[in-house]
Amino acid sequence: MNLLLFSLFREKKRRRVVELTEKMVVDGGNGHTCEWEGRWNHIKNTEVSLQFMLETCKILVIGAGGLGCELLKDLALSGFRNIHVVDMDTIDVSNLNRQFLFRPKDVGRSKAEVAADFINSRIPGCCVVPYPFDSNVLCVKFHIIVCGLDSVVARRWMNGMLLSLLVYEDGVLDPGSIIPLIDGGTEGFKGNARVILPGMTACIDCTLELYPPQINFPMCTIASMPRLPEHCIEYVRMLLWPKETPFGDGVALDGDDPEQIQWVYQRSLERAAEFNITGVTYRLTQGVVKRIIPAVASTNAVIAAACATEVFKIASSAYIPLNNYMVFNDVDGLYTYTFEAERKENCSACSQVPLDLRFAPSSKLQEVLDYLTESASLQMKSPAITATVEGKNKTLYLQSVASIEQRTRPNLSKTLKELGLTDGQELAVADVTTPQTMLFRLCFTS
């Protein structure tokens, strides 16, 4: 399988580039060079042109945070000169301990712009183009996309976007429409890197069970029987904040506001003292409020290096790419493991066939909605459900628009039969986790 994929990509790039010249030097804009004798000897004589990697290959890096900064540095130093970076976040003081492209003077500025300026000023000949506030980047114009995200939803959306760009001719996938996705992720001392060839290998949604749903503490524990410092912080966040409105009516808790976090911290300490609980700190308080898992710079460096290596292998055809998932753990020593994640025949994103939803005719629409959000293989956030009933397209439930949500809310308590749905009925479901509308087939059970 790997040899086939490798051959397809090699053939694709061979058609795009010109023959390699005998000697090539990358000149920076200031007249200096970042080359040295023999640097490209190991790929100079390969069939795929070195000129493609250095001159033609356009890479999109999504995210300029802890992992993104490492990725930009590694890719630029690997010789890639045409790099684009997307990040709509701004720099915070808390970023400076690991996001090394930023300095104190950059706090408040766009991450994408500062990261691009830093790389461009330090790596001769490299051109990093930032997209600080525009998420409408046309992925089709890039050869390789690298994700350094901390959001499963964003990963799934990008996965769906690349799948939507695939071209099929008589049911056969055109390899020229494939844009490889290199995905990296870190969580404390753990991380992973993977290579996804949309339409050919396992996609993000094929392995969604690897991204477990976010853990929430039971309300009864938070309110009555706290045992952990996190319980005390959640009590203040969920119960005291809306009750006491310390910063005014209707003011939402801002995890980046030091005064607000300080208030939550102090009240959490008081709550912890009542139940003889220790461990409440300012940093933990902010982490719970913002749902932050502490970042480790060394883990980011390892995963970014693995991702950059895969980009280099695909762009240069110097070696067969990773097949296709690598996990890394340095909690107790160093441990890595590589395995092949297989495509799911019934993947909601890449299978090209409607998925079966098995419910009794007496089941309520709320049960269907709960399944879509709670299923480990779907993990939707705010699904909108539509169907064709009596020849007309009907919105059964839509949460994102307040007026429509209010109008369709009564449907949640109705049975599927009462809504006019039949066995074999197709349901179209839209969600923020994907740019595509997913199709499901309703299968009635007795």
Side-chain angles (χ1 to χ4, degrees):
M1 180 66 173
N2 252 340
L3 290 175
L4 174 61
L5 300 180
F6 186 62
S7 299
L8 288 172
F9 277 104
R10 185 167 54 189
E11 180 62 28
K12 173 183 173 182
K13 284 178 285 190
R14 184 189 301 152
R15 296 196 303 263
R16 290 182 176 178
V17 299
V18 296
E19 186 176 354
L20 173 65
T21 54
E22 284 295 321
K23 295 182 181 181
M24 178 178 293
V25 175
V26 181
D27 294 322
N30 55 5
H32 295 88
T33 179
C34 58
E35 300 297 343
W36 55 89
E37 185 178 355
R39 180 180 184 186
W40 304 111
N41 285 349
H42 58 301
I43 62 170
K44 197 170 184 179
N45 296 319
T46 59
E47 294 182 35
V48 176
S49 174
L50 176 62
Q51 185 175 348
F52 171 79
M53 195 188 85
L54 299 180
E55 299 286 350
T56 308
C57 187
K58 297 179 69 175
I59 300 173
L60 175 64
V61 176
I62 304 177
L67 191 56
C69 284
E70 292 280 358
L71 283 167
L72 290 170
K73 177 260 295 180
D74 289 347
L75 292 170
L77 291 176
S78 295
F80 294 100
R81 302 197 297 177
N82 198 343
I83 304 172
H84 299 243
V85 58
V86 176
D87 197 308
M88 289 174 282
D89 199 4
T90 55
I91 300 166
D92 184 73
V93 174
S94 62
N95 302 147
L96 301 180
N97 68 328
R98 64 197 180 281
Q99 298 175 23
F100 57 90
L101 299 183
F102 311 140
R103 300 293 182 267
K105 64 180 176 62
D106 300 320
V107 171
R109 294 183 60 197
S110 161
K111 285 186 177 182
E113 290 181 344
V114 174
D117 290 344
F118 191 101
I119 295 293
N120 291 337
S121 66
R122 295 291 292 270
I123 311 296
C126 184
C127 177
V128 180
V129 179
Y131 298 86
F133 303 111
D134 184 9
S135 60
N136 298 317
V137 180
L138 294 177
C139 299
V140 69
K141 68 181 180 180
F142 298 101
H143 298 101
I144 301 173
I145 294 177
V146 194
C147 283
L149 297 164
D150 58 4
S151 166
V152 177
V153 173
R155 280 189 177 90
R156 295 178 66 185
W157 194 92
M158 180 53 59
N159 178 72
M161 173 60 70
L162 296 183
L163 289 171
S164 71
L165 297 175
L166 297 178
V167 176
Y168 291 86
E169 298 178 1
D170 298 326
V172 179
L173 175 63
D174 177 10
S177 65
I178 298 174
I179 301 177
L181 173 64
I182 315 298
D183 179 55
T186 62
E187 186 176 279
F189 289 97
K190 302 175 183 179
N192 68 271
R194 63 188 301 184
V195 175
I196 298 172
L197 304 179
M200 301 191 75
T201 64
C203 74
I204 295 289
D205 282 47
C206 285
T207 56
L208 200 56
E209 291 87 350
L210 297 176
Y211 305 98
Q214 183 174 287
I215 297 175
N216 293 309
F217 301 112
M219 181 59 72
C220 58
T221 300
I222 294 172
S224 306
M225 299 178 294
R227 299 183 302 275
L228 302 172
E230 290 86 351
H231 294 162
C232 301
I233 299 168
E234 285 287 79
Y235 174 83
V236 177
R237 184 183 73 87
M238 298 179 65
L239 300 177
L240 288 191
W241 180 273
K243 179 181 178 180
E244 300 187 8
T245 60
F247 289 83
D249 292 337
V251 177
L253 178 56
D254 184 357
D256 293 316
D257 188 321
E259 292 186 12
Q260 295 185 16
I261 294 298
Q262 183 66 31
W263 185 89
V264 176
Y265 169 53
Q266 292 298 333
R267 299 307 299 270
S268 300
L269 283 176
E270 296 171 8
R271 175 75 172 173
E274 292 179 23
F275 292 88
N276 296 317
I277 296 173
T278 60
V280 174
T281 64
Y282 181 91
R283 184 170 183 176
L284 178 64
T285 301
Q286 188 175 42
V288 171
V289 170
K290 296 181 66 176
R291 295 294 192 264
I292 293 174
I293 296 173
V296 178
S298 58
T299 309
N300 286 334
V302 170
I303 298 303
C307 291
T309 300
E310 296 307 318
V311 174
F312 183 87
K313 288 193 292 186
I314 290 176
S316 67
S317 296
Y319 198 71
I320 298 173
L322 173 71
N323 186 28
N324 51 33
Y325 201 109
M326 186 272 286
V327 294
F328 170 81
N329 189 334
D330 61 346
V331 175
D332 300 307
L334 291 176
Y335 172 80
T336 60
Y337 176 68
T338 303
F339 66 93
E340 180 181 359
E342 298 183 356
R343 290 187 68 184
K344 287 176 61 176
E345 292 183 1
N346 62 341
C347 173
S348 60
C350 70
S351 65
Q352 303 289 310
V353 296
L355 301 185
D356 290 343
L357 286 177
R358 300 186 181 278
F359 287 91
S362 59
S363 299
K364 291 180 169 57
L365 184 64
Q366 180 68 61
E367 297 177 52
V368 177
L369 191 74
D370 292 342
Y371 174 78
L372 295 174
T373 56
E374 296 174 5
S375 169
S377 61
L378 296 174
Q379 296 186 36
M380 296 186 183
K381 299 302 177 184
S382 54
I385 307 174
T386 61
T388 301
V389 180
E390 297 179 352
K392 297 181 180 180
N393 191 44
K394 182 179 180 181
T395 299
L396 302 180
Y397 183 71
L398 192 150
Q399 183 177 345
S400 57
V401 180
S403 59
I404 301 179
E405 194 281 333
Q406 185 177 8
R407 179 167 56 84
T408 58
R409 190 185 309 160
N411 289 340
L412 295 176
S413 59
K414 295 180 180 179
T415 67
L416 302 181
K417 185 177 181 180
E418 290 172 339
L419 290 170
L421 301 179
T422 59
D423 185 39
Q425 177 100 47
E426 280 197 353
L427 300 181
V429 180
D431 191 61
V432 294
T433 57
T434 175
Q436 302 184 92
T437 298
M438 290 173 280
L439 293 179
F440 294 85
R441 182 173 54 246
L442 193 57
C443 299
F444 279 165
T445 58
S446 56

mmCIF file of all heavy atoms in Angstrom, residues 6-38:
data_model
loop_
_atom_site.group_PDB
_atom_site.id
_atom_site.type_symbol
_atom_site.label_atom_id
_atom_site.label_comp_id
_atom_site.label_asym_id
_atom_site.label_seq_id
_atom_site.Cartn_x
_atom_site.Cartn_y
_atom_site.Cartn_z
ATOM 1 N N PHE A 6 3.379 5.959 -2.530
ATOM 2 C CA PHE A 6 4.633 6.654 -2.804
ATOM 3 C C PHE A 6 4.795 6.884 -4.303
ATOM 4 O O PHE A 6 5.175 7.963 -4.765
ATOM 5 C CB PHE A 6 5.782 5.815 -2.247
ATOM 6 C CG PHE A 6 7.133 6.470 -2.336
ATOM 7 C CD1 PHE A 6 7.376 7.652 -1.653
ATOM 8 C CD2 PHE A 6 8.153 5.917 -3.086
ATOM 9 C CE1 PHE A 6 8.610 8.256 -1.715
ATOM 10 C CE2 PHE A 6 9.389 6.523 -3.157
ATOM 11 C CZ PHE A 6 9.624 7.686 -2.476
ATOM 12 N N SER A 7 4.471 5.864 -5.108
ATOM 13 C CA SER A 7 4.596 5.980 -6.558
ATOM 14 C C SER A 7 3.631 7.012 -7.118
ATOM 15 O O SER A 7 3.972 7.776 -8.019
ATOM 16 C CB SER A 7 4.341 4.612 -7.204
ATOM 17 O OG SER A 7 5.284 3.669 -6.756
ATOM 18 N N LEU A 8 2.414 7.055 -6.574
ATOM 19 C CA LEU A 8 1.413 8.015 -7.052
ATOM 20 C C LEU A 8 1.877 9.443 -6.830
ATOM 21 O O LEU A 8 1.769 10.296 -7.716
ATOM 22 C CB LEU A 8 0.082 7.769 -6.349
ATOM 23 C CG LEU A 8 -0.677 6.497 -6.762
ATOM 24 C CD1 LEU A 8 -1.866 6.277 -5.847
ATOM 25 C CD2 LEU A 8 -1.138 6.606 -8.208
ATOM 26 N N PHE A 9 2.403 9.709 -5.645
ATOM 27 C CA PHE A 9 2.832 11.075 -5.350
ATOM 28 C C PHE A 9 4.091 11.443 -6.130
ATOM 29 O O PHE A 9 4.255 12.575 -6.564
ATOM 30 C CB PHE A 9 3.078 11.248 -3.854
ATOM 31 C CG PHE A 9 1.818 11.515 -3.095
ATOM 32 C CD1 PHE A 9 1.227 10.536 -2.344
ATOM 33 C CD2 PHE A 9 1.199 12.760 -3.175
ATOM 34 C CE1 PHE A 9 0.041 10.772 -1.676
ATOM 35 C CE2 PHE A 9 0.024 13.011 -2.515
ATOM 36 C CZ PHE A 9 -0.562 12.016 -1.763
ATOM 37 N N ARG A 10 4.970 10.475 -6.328
ATOM 38 C CA ARG A 10 6.172 10.750 -7.102
ATOM 39 C C ARG A 10 5.818 11.093 -8.540
ATOM 40 O O ARG A 10 6.363 12.017 -9.142
ATOM 41 C CB ARG A 10 7.102 9.529 -7.049
ATOM 42 C CG ARG A 10 8.443 9.761 -7.727
ATOM 43 C CD ARG A 10 9.409 8.656 -7.378
ATOM 44 N NE ARG A 10 8.868 7.341 -7.681
ATOM 45 C CZ ARG A 10 9.437 6.209 -7.326
ATOM 46 N NH1 ARG A 10 10.540 6.221 -6.607
ATOM 47 N NH2 ARG A 10 8.897 5.047 -7.639
ATOM 48 N N GLU A 11 4.866 10.360 -9.112
ATOM 49 C CA GLU A 11 4.426 10.621 -10.476
ATOM 50 C C GLU A 11 3.732 11.973 -10.573
ATOM 51 O O GLU A 11 3.914 12.718 -11.539
ATOM 52 C CB GLU A 11 3.477 9.512 -10.931
ATOM 53 C CG GLU A 11 2.949 9.690 -12.347
ATOM 54 C CD GLU A 11 4.057 9.669 -13.387
ATOM 55 O OE1 GLU A 11 5.098 9.007 -13.116
ATOM 56 O OE2 GLU A 11 3.902 10.298 -14.437
ATOM 57 N N LYS A 12 2.948 12.303 -9.548
ATOM 58 C CA LYS A 12 2.229 13.573 -9.533
ATOM 59 C C LYS A 12 3.209 14.745 -9.569
ATOM 60 O O LYS A 12 3.032 15.700 -10.320
ATOM 61 C CB LYS A 12 1.361 13.634 -8.270
ATOM 62 C CG LYS A 12 0.675 14.968 -8.034
ATOM 63 C CD LYS A 12 -0.069 14.911 -6.723
ATOM 64 C CE LYS A 12 -0.635 16.265 -6.356
ATOM 65 N NZ LYS A 12 -1.327 16.237 -5.053
ATOM 66 N N LYS A 13 4.259 14.665 -8.748
ATOM 67 C CA LYS A 13 5.212 15.772 -8.694
ATOM 68 C C LYS A 13 6.116 15.799 -9.929
ATOM 69 O O LYS A 13 6.552 16.857 -10.359
ATOM 70 C CB LYS A 13 6.047 15.661 -7.419
ATOM 71 C CG LYS A 13 5.291 16.089 -6.180
ATOM 72 C CD LYS A 13 6.098 15.943 -4.929
ATOM 73 C CE LYS A 13 6.195 14.506 -4.514
ATOM 74 N NZ LYS A 13 6.761 14.307 -3.193
ATOM 75 N N ARG A 14 6.377 14.641 -10.507
ATOM 76 C CA ARG A 14 7.221 14.597 -11.690
ATOM 77 C C ARG A 14 6.586 15.383 -12.836
ATOM 78 O O ARG A 14 7.275 16.007 -13.636
ATOM 79 C CB ARG A 14 7.444 13.137 -12.109
ATOM 80 C CG ARG A 14 8.403 12.980 -13.294
ATOM 81 C CD ARG A 14 8.414 11.559 -13.799
ATOM 82 N NE ARG A 14 8.825 10.638 -12.759
ATOM 83 C CZ ARG A 14 8.432 9.367 -12.710
ATOM 84 N NH1 ARG A 14 7.613 8.898 -13.617
ATOM 85 N NH2 ARG A 14 8.855 8.587 -11.734
ATOM 86 N N ARG A 15 5.238 15.349 -12.902
ATOM 87 C CA ARG A 15 4.533 16.079 -13.950
ATOM 88 C C ARG A 15 4.567 17.579 -13.711
ATOM 89 O O ARG A 15 4.372 18.357 -14.629
ATOM 90 C CB ARG A 15 3.075 15.610 -14.031
ATOM 91 C CG ARG A 15 2.903 14.168 -14.435
ATOM 92 C CD ARG A 15 1.461 13.893 -14.874
ATOM 93 N NE ARG A 15 0.510 14.227 -13.832
ATOM 94 C CZ ARG A 15 -0.004 13.344 -12.999
ATOM 95 N NH1 ARG A 15 0.374 12.075 -13.078
ATOM 96 N NH2 ARG A 15 -0.888 13.713 -12.078
ATOM 97 N N ARG A 16 4.767 18.001 -12.471
ATOM 98 C CA ARG A 16 4.654 19.414 -12.138
ATOM 99 C C ARG A 16 5.966 20.181 -12.236
ATOM 100 O O ARG A 16 5.959 21.409 -12.314
ATOM 101 C CB ARG A 16 4.119 19.577 -10.701
ATOM 102 C CG ARG A 16 2.675 19.181 -10.528
ATOM 103 C CD ARG A 16 2.259 19.418 -9.107
ATOM 104 N NE ARG A 16 0.846 19.153 -8.895
ATOM 105 C CZ ARG A 16 0.230 19.252 -7.744
ATOM 106 N NH1 ARG A 16 0.900 19.618 -6.688
ATOM 107 N NH2 ARG A 16 -1.050 18.980 -7.640
ATOM 108 N N VAL A 17 7.091 19.512 -12.148
ATOM 109 C CA VAL A 17 8.349 20.235 -12.009
ATOM 110 C C VAL A 17 9.265 20.020 -13.204
ATOM 111 O O VAL A 17 9.103 19.091 -13.993
ATOM 112 C CB VAL A 17 9.079 19.811 -10.713
ATOM 113 C CG1 VAL A 17 8.235 20.125 -9.509
ATOM 114 C CG2 VAL A 17 9.408 18.335 -10.745
ATOM 115 N N VAL A 18 10.253 20.857 -13.310
ATOM 116 C CA VAL A 18 11.226 20.753 -14.393
ATOM 117 C C VAL A 18 12.435 19.973 -13.929
ATOM 118 O O VAL A 18 12.612 19.726 -12.736
ATOM 119 C CB VAL A 18 11.658 22.160 -14.860
ATOM 120 C CG1 VAL A 18 10.501 22.920 -15.438
ATOM 121 C CG2 VAL A 18 12.284 22.935 -13.702
ATOM 122 N N GLU A 19 13.277 19.629 -14.874
ATOM 123 C CA GLU A 19 14.452 18.817 -14.553
ATOM 124 C C GLU A 19 15.412 19.570 -13.645
ATOM 125 O O GLU A 19 15.613 20.767 -13.786
ATOM 126 C CB GLU A 19 15.164 18.440 -15.855
ATOM 127 C CG GLU A 19 16.310 17.469 -15.639
ATOM 128 C CD GLU A 19 16.920 17.051 -16.965
ATOM 129 O OE1 GLU A 19 16.361 17.446 -18.013
ATOM 130 O OE2 GLU A 19 17.947 16.371 -16.931
ATOM 131 N N LEU A 20 15.981 18.839 -12.713
ATOM 132 C CA LEU A 20 16.905 19.429 -11.730
ATOM 133 C C LEU A 20 18.166 19.952 -12.396
ATOM 134 O O LEU A 20 18.791 19.259 -13.186
ATOM 135 C CB LEU A 20 17.271 18.374 -10.691
ATOM 136 C CG LEU A 20 18.349 18.743 -9.662
ATOM 137 C CD1 LEU A 20 17.843 19.880 -8.790
ATOM 138 C CD2 LEU A 20 18.722 17.546 -8.836
ATOM 139 N N THR A 21 18.498 21.184 -12.085
ATOM 140 C CA THR A 21 19.760 21.727 -12.569
ATOM 141 C C THR A 21 20.907 21.144 -11.747
ATOM 142 O O THR A 21 20.726 20.677 -10.627
ATOM 143 C CB THR A 21 19.776 23.255 -12.422
ATOM 144 O OG1 THR A 21 19.480 23.585 -11.067
ATOM 145 C CG2 THR A 21 18.732 23.894 -13.314
ATOM 146 N N GLU A 22 22.087 21.152 -12.303
ATOM 147 C CA GLU A 22 23.219 20.516 -11.643
ATOM 148 C C GLU A 22 23.577 21.177 -10.316
ATOM 149 O O GLU A 22 23.940 20.537 -9.353
ATOM 150 C CB GLU A 22 24.441 20.558 -12.569
ATOM 151 C CG GLU A 22 24.383 19.549 -13.687
ATOM 152 C CD GLU A 22 24.416 18.133 -13.159
ATOM 153 O OE1 GLU A 22 25.159 17.890 -12.198
ATOM 154 O OE2 GLU A 22 23.692 17.301 -13.694
ATOM 155 N N LYS A 23 23.498 22.497 -10.277
ATOM 156 C CA LYS A 23 23.861 23.216 -9.054
ATOM 157 C C LYS A 23 22.768 24.200 -8.721
ATOM 158 O O LYS A 23 22.230 24.857 -9.581
ATOM 159 C CB LYS A 23 25.184 23.960 -9.224
ATOM 160 C CG LYS A 23 26.381 23.049 -9.425
ATOM 161 C CD LYS A 23 27.670 23.854 -9.546
ATOM 162 C CE LYS A 23 28.862 22.935 -9.760
ATOM 163 N NZ LYS A 23 30.130 23.703 -9.853
ATOM 164 N N MET A 24 22.454 24.310 -7.425
ATOM 165 C CA MET A 24 21.415 25.252 -7.006
ATOM 166 C C MET A 24 21.821 25.856 -5.671
ATOM 167 O O MET A 24 22.244 25.166 -4.762
ATOM 168 C CB MET A 24 20.064 24.547 -6.852
ATOM 169 C CG MET A 24 18.947 25.450 -6.377
ATOM 170 S SD MET A 24 17.388 24.565 -6.268
ATOM 171 C CE MET A 24 17.119 24.252 -8.005
ATOM 172 N N VAL A 25 21.696 27.166 -5.573
ATOM 173 C CA VAL A 25 21.984 27.880 -4.337
ATOM 174 C C VAL A 25 20.772 28.710 -3.980
ATOM 175 O O VAL A 25 20.211 29.392 -4.833
ATOM 176 C CB VAL A 25 23.222 28.795 -4.492
ATOM 177 C CG1 VAL A 25 23.426 29.622 -3.231
ATOM 178 C CG2 VAL A 25 24.464 27.962 -4.776
ATOM 179 N N VAL A 26 20.340 28.628 -2.744
ATOM 180 C CA VAL A 26 19.203 29.419 -2.285
ATOM 181 C C VAL A 26 19.727 30.745 -1.773
ATOM 182 O O VAL A 26 20.442 30.800 -0.787
ATOM 183 C CB VAL A 26 18.459 28.685 -1.148
ATOM 184 C CG1 VAL A 26 17.271 29.528 -0.703
ATOM 185 C CG2 VAL A 26 17.999 27.319 -1.616
ATOM 186 N N ASP A 27 19.390 31.822 -2.450
ATOM 187 C CA ASP A 27 19.873 33.144 -2.068
ATOM 188 C C ASP A 27 18.839 33.864 -1.244
ATOM 189 O O ASP A 27 17.663 33.891 -1.590
ATOM 190 C CB ASP A 27 20.195 33.978 -3.314
ATOM 191 C CG ASP A 27 21.364 33.386 -4.086
ATOM 192 O OD1 ASP A 27 22.297 32.909 -3.429
ATOM 193 O OD2 ASP A 27 21.316 33.397 -5.332
ATOM 194 N N GLY A 28 19.272 34.463 -0.147
ATOM 195 C CA GLY A 28 18.370 35.270 0.670
ATOM 196 C C GLY A 28 18.219 36.653 0.090
ATOM 197 O O GLY A 28 18.991 37.088 -0.766
ATOM 198 N N GLY A 29 17.213 37.364 0.580
ATOM 199 C CA GLY A 29 16.950 38.698 0.078
ATOM 200 C C GLY A 29 18.062 39.676 0.409
ATOM 201 O O GLY A 29 18.206 40.706 -0.216
ATOM 202 N N ASN A 30 18.907 39.335 1.414
ATOM 203 C CA ASN A 30 19.978 40.253 1.792
ATOM 204 C C ASN A 30 21.309 39.877 1.148
ATOM 205 O O ASN A 30 22.355 40.366 1.536
ATOM 206 C CB ASN A 30 20.135 40.271 3.316
ATOM 207 C CG ASN A 30 20.364 38.863 3.871
ATOM 208 O OD1 ASN A 30 20.495 37.907 3.115
ATOM 209 N ND2 ASN A 30 20.413 38.763 5.186
ATOM 210 N N GLY A 31 21.234 38.961 0.183
ATOM 211 C CA GLY A 31 22.465 38.597 -0.508
ATOM 212 C C GLY A 31 23.219 37.467 0.141
ATOM 213 O O GLY A 31 24.178 36.959 -0.405
ATOM 214 N N HIS A 32 22.810 37.033 1.315
ATOM 215 C CA HIS A 32 23.477 35.935 1.984
ATOM 216 C C HIS A 32 22.848 34.619 1.575
ATOM 217 O O HIS A 32 21.798 34.577 0.945
ATOM 218 C CB HIS A 32 23.392 36.109 3.502
ATOM 219 C CG HIS A 32 24.131 37.300 3.998
ATOM 220 N ND1 HIS A 32 23.549 38.550 4.072
ATOM 221 C CD2 HIS A 32 25.409 37.448 4.429
ATOM 222 C CE1 HIS A 32 24.437 39.425 4.560
ATOM 223 N NE2 HIS A 32 25.564 38.767 4.769
ATOM 224 N N THR A 33 23.458 33.518 1.924
ATOM 225 C CA THR A 33 22.949 32.204 1.576
ATOM 226 C C THR A 33 22.832 31.345 2.820
ATOM 227 O O THR A 33 23.605 31.500 3.769
ATOM 228 C CB THR A 33 23.869 31.512 0.548
ATOM 229 O OG1 THR A 33 23.336 30.219 0.265
ATOM 230 C CG2 THR A 33 25.278 31.344 1.109
ATOM 231 N N CYS A 34 21.837 30.447 2.812
ATOM 232 C CA CYS A 34 21.697 29.520 3.926
ATOM 233 C C CYS A 34 22.085 28.118 3.478
ATOM 234 O O CYS A 34 21.682 27.131 4.072
ATOM 235 C CB CYS A 34 20.267 29.540 4.477
ATOM 236 S SG CYS A 34 19.024 29.121 3.239
ATOM 237 N N GLU A 35 22.855 28.024 2.390
ATOM 238 C CA GLU A 35 23.292 26.743 1.865
ATOM 239 C C GLU A 35 24.742 26.473 2.239
ATOM 240 O O GLU A 35 25.485 27.359 2.645
ATOM 241 C CB GLU A 35 23.155 26.737 0.336
ATOM 242 C CG GLU A 35 21.748 26.966 -0.165
ATOM 243 C CD GLU A 35 20.786 25.872 0.264
ATOM 244 O OE1 GLU A 35 21.235 24.790 0.670
ATOM 245 O OE2 GLU A 35 19.581 26.111 0.219
ATOM 246 N N TRP A 36 25.125 25.225 2.096
ATOM 247 C CA TRP A 36 26.517 24.851 2.261
ATOM 248 C C TRP A 36 26.800 23.692 1.318
ATOM 249 O O TRP A 36 25.886 23.001 0.859
ATOM 250 C CB TRP A 36 26.835 24.460 3.698
ATOM 251 C CG TRP A 36 25.956 23.378 4.248
ATOM 252 C CD1 TRP A 36 26.153 22.034 4.184
ATOM 253 C CD2 TRP A 36 24.723 23.564 4.947
ATOM 254 N NE1 TRP A 36 25.135 21.361 4.781
ATOM 255 C CE2 TRP A 36 24.243 22.272 5.273
ATOM 256 C CE3 TRP A 36 23.983 24.686 5.341
ATOM 257 C CZ2 TRP A 36 23.048 22.085 5.957
ATOM 258 C CZ3 TRP A 36 22.811 24.487 6.023
ATOM 259 C CH2 TRP A 36 22.347 23.207 6.332
ATOM 260 N N GLU A 37 28.044 23.473 1.021
ATOM 261 C CA GLU A 37 28.419 22.467 0.038
ATOM 262 C C GLU A 37 27.964 21.077 0.475
ATOM 263 O O GLU A 37 28.196 20.653 1.597
ATOM 264 C CB GLU A 37 29.938 22.481 -0.160
ATOM 265 C CG GLU A 37 30.401 21.537 -1.267
ATOM 266 C CD GLU A 37 31.895 21.597 -1.491
ATOM 267 O OE1 GLU A 37 32.558 22.449 -0.845
ATOM 268 O OE2 GLU A 37 32.396 20.800 -2.300
ATOM 269 N N GLY A 38 27.301 20.406 -0.447
ATOM 270 C CA GLY A 38 26.877 19.031 -0.184
ATOM 271 C C GLY A 38 25.576 18.902 0.579
ATOM 272 O O GLY A 38 25.172 17.788 0.911
#
